Amino acid sequence: SIPEGAIDKTGDLPLETRMSQIYNAEFFIGLGSGLSWLAWAVGKPVVLISGFSKPFAEFDTPYRIINEKVCNGCWNNSNHTFDKGNWMWCPEGKDFECTKSITAEMVIEKISNLL
């Protein structure tokens, strides 16, 4: 859900619109998805919340947040065959602990380092 008071910019918008939104932002916070790659491509600092992938699988950022003390990197495990239609499938059966173990405090710390 979108936090109260946040501006809803979700939806199917042209790539040029997304590029402009990101370019005019101070930085971008996201997962290892297309929008994070787009932010990196337009030269914005990216606070990358990572869990399902290993750091070598994405662009380099000093603002990566990953908890390597729990299950992580399943996306890079060739023993798993991913179903692109089922994004609610945790291949290790651990209820997405790789991402859920990343706290707001961890994200705020990276943002503080960035600012």
Side-chain angles (χ1 to χ4, degrees):
S1 63
I2 298 172
E4 186 177 328
I7 299 169
D8 183 356
K9 294 286 187 172
T10 59
D12 187 16
L13 297 173
L15 189 56
E16 292 81 7
T17 301
R18 293 295 182 207
M19 291 171 66
S20 177
Q21 290 169 335
I22 293 169
Y23 181 79
N24 290 296
E26 193 169 340
F27 58 90
F28 183 84
I29 303 170
L31 304 174
S33 69
L35 287 177
S36 292
W37 281 93
L38 185 61
W40 172 79
V42 299
K44 289 297 162 176
V46 178
V47 177
L48 185 63
I49 299 171
S50 180
F52 67 90
S53 60
K54 296 288 188 181
F56 70 82
E58 285 131 359
F59 54 86
D60 186 42
T61 175
Y63 311 110
R64 176 182 300 277
I65 306 163
I66 186 168
N67 183 352
E68 293 181 323
K69 295 178 182 171
V70 299
C71 182
N72 68 83
C74 61
W75 186 256
N76 304 111
N77 184 337
S78 61
N79 292 322
H80 299 303
T81 302
F82 287 88
D83 175 359
K84 65 181 178 179
N86 182 5
W87 289 100
M88 297 307 297
W89 174 63
C90 176
E92 298 291 340
K94 296 187 177 184
D95 195 31
F96 305 102
E97 74 177 3
C98 58
T99 305
K100 287 182 175 181
S101 69
I102 294 172
T103 66
E105 291 77 18
M106 294 165 78
V107 176
I108 291 167
E109 179 182 351
K110 288 293 181 181
I111 293 169
S112 296
N113 294 340
L114 171 64
L115 298 176

